[in-house]
Amino acid sequence: MPGYDYISAEKRRLERESLRASRAQTGDLTPRASSIEKAMADRVVAERSAVEQQEKERKELAQKLRIERARLKEGYLVDPKRMVVRSHMLGDPLAVFDVLIGNETVDWEAARHAAISIRNPQYSLKQFYEDMVRAFPELKLYMAYISDNDNYVPDVNSGTTASVEYRRTVGALFAVYWLMRVGVDGAEGFSYGVDEDWAPRGQPADANESGVLDTSRGTNHHTDKNMKKRKAFHDQTDWQKLMYLLVDALLLSVEDGQVEVNHQRTMAMLALTAFHDIMKVEALLPSVSADCESFQGYAAGVTINDHDQALGYVLDRFPQCLPAFYGLPREEQLSVAFTQAKMNFNHGWLVQAEAPPDALFSKFKMVIDTEGVEKADVAFYFVHWLTDLAGAHPSPLEGCVKFVLQFPQPVLASFINSFSVINELAVKTETQVFEDYMVKIWTETAARGIAIGPVPDGDHAVALMRLMIQCQTPKAQAAIVAGYSQASAADRAVLAEEMGRSGLPGQYYQRGCKRRGGPALLVYYSPAFMRSLVPLETPEALRMLAEVYRRARQLYPLRDDFGPCQTVSIRIDQLKEISAKEIVAAYENDEIWVLAKRNELEAVAERRPKAFLQDLQQSLSTIELEFGSHTAMELELV
């Protein structure tokens, strides 16, 4: 354009750009375009902030609702009201229960409704709980306290609180509910517990590496750091075997794929579960009445402090005190009473093949034979045992925490696997049942591909089976079977002789030679000892175990005049968790290992100073264990 100063125009353009840049830095955006841009940016920021605030408020509200619903869920499990027992009434069941229960009766309609509905998909856990509270007045007995207790707090003899014991009982009832619903939603409720609405949580979404659920996908699970463990329990448990335990107990029946509930039998199980632990409450403990000379070793006038025996005494002498028991048909009363008998059964001894048949089953078998118990009653006993333990953690709405989170899964699997065999005690001898169990475990172990070969037969069969089962893990099991044939002939002879003895007159294993005489020897903690040494120190484990058996037999010579319940326990507590090298190292520290006889039924392996050898020369009750390479002192025992 003629006369237009292009150079000055360019300078002005650059000056304007500089001013705009300066204003942008200081926030002084006065030009129209910049003002529009800033307004739009501010609106975006404001809208984003509003959305974020709304999301934050939504999450806070949801969290408050979850907390409130969780409180309502737990708050629904209210403890019964406290009740007073006057001190002058103590020990007299008629007086105590008359004050606490009086003329109250069981609401059998509520109990029957629970039994009829227990596998109905629409019958919720909350409805079940309401039926239980309505049905059984015995549930409120947990809150009984003695009037002269200064704190007016119910006393329980289990080392916990009355509230904890009440919740444990509720947990046991819930365990019955879940097991009876296997195939419906029982496995899920047993494993995962319930949500805020008391509905089973069901299968969870994937858990992250820390084990916490990814809830972004939308599940009815709360955040639970143990969810991976819960899922593993759910997936690995043999639910079908558990269901068939209920079938064996006549609680369920299966025909043409249809599962039916035995209503009367189920009401008996629910009644038993409601009152089974009430004698943990101090105010309820009975004393043996004057017209009774004794009860289970308790003399007249003596308070029965063992809660199982105390309940057994009331069921036997004062059944009218417990309406949930008194109202059952007689055949169900007998099944319930059997669960309270003192059978001295140690399940761990069985699943680890730790004890001989006498120690395992003699008392159990004696009760079965004396009372004419049938197989179904034995299974009923184990259903009660299982659900009682399942409810041991006082958080019944979180599933059966004791088994799901706190119990070794392989041990529980072994327990479940043993139930069908133990039921045979009603029709077989103790030795037959134990041998059947060992053959079953050997067969199943070999079927999993573990290199142990076919079920053994002959002189060493029982020792081999027991040692294999004691080792538990696949590598150790294969190692002990292979290592046994490499042990010295003398050690194998001792193991075969002592581990193959039943401890019961006239009872012998079908596999192996007849081992006559007694008593049998129970090396207490031998499974833990074997697991600590095998497979790394297999030869040493066999040699040392044989030495324990050898010296124990010197302290307790064989005799023909022995009977049931006379098995001798040889405790090896000090040996069970240390290596063979550590055991032998004792000799380098001027120490020795001895086996000391405590009484006619117990001896203990102990580490002693070497100077103790002088005392051994006059001792008839202590003998040295030859674990080292030195020459052991041989003692002539009279």
Side-chain angles (χ1 to χ4, degrees):
M1 178 181 294
Y4 188 74
D5 189 349
Y6 287 98
I7 295 176
S8 297
E10 178 65 15
K11 286 182 178 179
R12 287 193 295 273
R13 183 183 70 78
L14 291 174
E15 186 178 6
R16 288 190 183 96
E17 288 181 355
S18 176
L19 288 171
R20 280 199 295 269
S22 177
R23 287 171 181 148
Q25 290 177 355
T26 61
D28 185 15
L29 299 176
T30 55
R32 179 177 176 79
S34 297
S35 298
I36 294 173
E37 290 175 2
K38 184 174 186 301
M40 291 177 65
D42 289 345
R43 179 187 295 178
V44 170
V45 171
E47 289 177 352
R48 182 182 298 119
S49 177
V51 169
E52 290 176 351
Q53 181 63 28
Q54 289 175 358
E55 179 64 16
K56 180 180 178 182
E57 291 175 356
R58 186 191 69 78
K59 287 183 177 180
E60 289 176 350
L61 179 60
Q63 178 66 13
K64 289 179 180 178
L65 287 173
R66 277 196 296 271
I67 293 173
E68 185 61 26
R69 292 173 76 183
R71 285 174 178 166
L72 288 172
K73 179 181 76 169
E74 288 291 341
Y76 198 69
L77 285 171
V78 294
D79 294 341
K81 294 181 179 179
R82 291 184 298 175
M83 300 179 295
V84 176
V85 174
R86 303 300 177 188
S87 57
H88 70 272
M89 300 176 181
L90 296 179
D92 182 352
L94 292 176
V96 169
F97 286 92
D98 182 60
V99 166
L100 299 178
I101 293 182
N103 295 323
E104 287 189 60
T105 59
V106 173
D107 185 338
W108 289 111
E109 285 304 313
R112 188 171 293 104
H113 180 256
I116 292 172
S117 308
I118 201 162
R119 285 187 62 84
N120 184 338
Q122 306 307 316
Y123 183 62
S124 70
L125 182 68
K126 182 179 287 188
Q127 290 171 305
F128 174 76
Y129 175 64
E130 291 170 347
D131 280 339
M132 292 300 94
V133 173
R134 213 165 37 240
F136 301 119
E138 289 88 349
L139 284 172
K140 68 180 185 179
L141 294 173
Y142 289 97
M143 294 301 150
Y145 68 92
I146 303 168
S147 62
D148 50 7
N149 182 332
D150 293 337
N151 295 320
Y152 295 98
V153 174
D155 287 322
V156 293
N157 54 24
S158 59
T160 60
T161 66
S163 181
V164 166
E165 289 301 337
Y166 174 72
R167 286 173 175 255
R168 283 177 171 175
T169 295
V170 172
L173 284 166
F174 287 3
V176 175
Y177 172 86
W178 294 127
L179 287 181
M180 293 289 286
R181 292 172 70 88
V182 168
V184 182
D185 55 13
E188 289 71 30
F190 195 103
S191 304
Y192 303 120
V194 295
D195 62 16
E196 292 85 353
D197 296 320
W198 287 49
R201 293 195 181 108
Q203 286 280 7
D206 291 337
N208 61 29
E209 290 300 316
S210 66
V212 178
L213 276 183
D214 175 10
T215 56
S216 63
R217 303 185 183 186
T219 76
N220 62 344
H221 287 269
H222 64 146
T223 300
D224 187 339
K225 65 180 181 180
N226 292 309
M227 195 52 67
K228 287 181 73 173
K229 195 169 183 179
R230 289 180 181 273
K231 188 174 188 306
F233 176 90
H234 175 274
D235 295 346
Q236 295 169 16
T237 297
D238 193 330
W239 297 103
Q240 186 175 29
K241 282 187 178 178
L242 283 172
M243 175 179 278
Y244 275 93
L245 172 63
L246 303 182
V247 172
D248 289 341
L250 300 183
L251 291 161
L252 297 176
S253 61
V254 180
E255 188 172 348
D256 297 329
Q258 296 296 313
V259 181
E260 299 294 336
V261 177
N262 182 328
H263 302 151
Q264 190 63 61
R265 189 79 161 168
T266 300
M267 284 193 286
M269 177 60 70
L270 296 175
L272 165 63
T273 308
F275 62 65
H276 77 285
D277 269 348
I278 58 171
M279 291 301 169
K280 289 181 178 179
V281 179
E282 297 277 357
L284 306 182
L285 290 175
S287 298
V288 179
S289 61
D291 61 350
C292 178
E293 292 185 4
S294 66
F295 179 84
Q296 300 290 336
Y298 291 89
V302 174
T303 300
I304 304 175
N305 290 298
D306 181 289
H307 71 275
D308 288 327
Q309 289 184 311
L311 180 59
Y313 174 76
V314 172
L315 296 182
D316 183 55
R317 302 302 174 93
F318 304 96
Q320 69 274 28
C321 290
L322 297 174
F325 177 75
Y326 200 55
L328 292 173
R330 183 56 182 162
E331 61 181 347
E332 303 301 349
Q333 287 183 346
L334 292 173
S335 296
V336 168
F338 171 67
T339 66
Q340 301 306 305
K342 271 297 180 184
M343 291 172 278
N344 299 332
F345 178 62
N346 186 320
H347 220 132
W349 283 357
L350 172 65
V351 299
Q352 299 179 106
E354 185 171 0
D358 173 46
L360 269 175
F361 295 132
S362 281
K363 183 65 174 176
F364 204 152
K365 179 67 170 174
M366 192 181 304
V367 174
I368 288 174
D369 290 346
T370 301
E371 298 190 9
V373 172
E374 299 179 354
K375 290 169 61 174
D377 291 326
V378 179
F380 189 88
Y381 165 84
F382 281 115
V383 172
H384 171 61
W385 177 88
L386 189 71
T387 53
D388 182 23
L389 189 55
H393 194 277
S395 55
L397 297 173
E398 297 304 312
C400 298
V401 172
K402 180 67 176 181
F403 280 143
V404 176
L405 301 180
Q406 300 176 343
F407 209 79
Q409 178 76 10
V411 177
L412 177 60
S414 297
F415 286 170
I416 295 171
N417 205 23
S418 70
F419 292 142
S420 62
V421 178
I422 305 173
N423 295 345
E424 297 295 319
L425 268 179
V427 293
K428 293 183 177 180
T429 69
E430 300 92 319
T431 304
Q432 287 173 328
V433 170
F434 187 42
E435 186 169 6
D436 286 350
Y437 175 74
M438 292 191 293
V439 170
K440 173 183 171 71
I441 297 302
W442 187 289
T443 303
E444 292 176 351
T445 302
R448 292 197 296 270
I450 300 172
I452 58 176
V455 179
D457 206 346
D459 219 19
H460 299 273
V462 176
L464 260 175
M465 289 191 291
R466 288 183 65 185
L467 289 167
M468 185 279 293
I469 294 171
Q470 288 186 13
C471 287
Q472 298 284 301
T473 62
K475 285 185 178 180
Q477 289 171 327
I480 199 68
V481 172
Y484 188 86
S485 61
Q486 305 301 315
S488 71
D491 287 345
R492 283 188 289 117
V494 169
L495 292 171
E497 178 76 16
E498 298 301 346
M499 299 187 82
R501 181 168 282 110
S502 74
L504 290 160
Q507 289 193 26
Y508 311 103
Y509 294 99
Q510 184 178 350
R511 299 168 183 271
C513 296
K514 292 183 177 180
R515 311 292 180 185
R516 302 185 185 279
L521 303 173
L522 189 173
V523 179
Y524 213 129
Y525 296 120
S526 61
F529 175 72
M530 298 304 291
R531 290 195 295 272
S532 71
L533 270 59
V534 180
L536 298 179
E537 298 176 300
T538 302
E540 291 84 356
L542 291 167
R543 177 172 59 83
M544 292 177 175
L545 184 62
E547 174 68 2
V548 171
Y549 274 115
R550 183 181 293 115
R551 302 308 174 188
R553 183 54 69 196
Q554 287 183 259
L555 289 176
Y556 299 93
L558 286 174
R559 64 180 195 273
D560 294 328
D561 60 332
F562 73 100
C565 304
Q566 292 186 9
T567 292
V568 175
S569 293
I570 310 299
R571 303 186 67 95
I572 58 169
D573 309 45
Q574 294 185 26
L575 297 168
K576 66 177 181 177
E577 293 177 348
I578 59 177
S579 69
K581 289 183 179 179
E582 291 174 296
I583 293 172
V584 174
Y587 300 108
E588 300 173 2
N589 297 323
D590 289 329
E591 294 177 312
I592 60 171
W593 290 96
V594 300
L595 191 62
K597 183 176 181 179
R598 290 285 184 262
N599 51 56
E600 292 305 313
L601 293 176
E602 185 179 36
V604 181
E606 299 175 324
R607 189 193 314 227
R608 294 290 185 89
K610 195 171 183 179
F612 187 71
L613 283 170
Q614 302 299 322
D615 297 329
L616 288 183
Q617 294 177 342
Q618 284 76 41
S619 175
L620 299 178
S621 61
T622 306
I623 191 169
E624 186 182 0
L625 290 164
E626 187 182 352
F627 289 150
S629 58
H630 70 296
T631 301
M633 179 182 296
E634 295 293 335
L635 298 176
E636 190 71 29
L637 297 180
V638 179

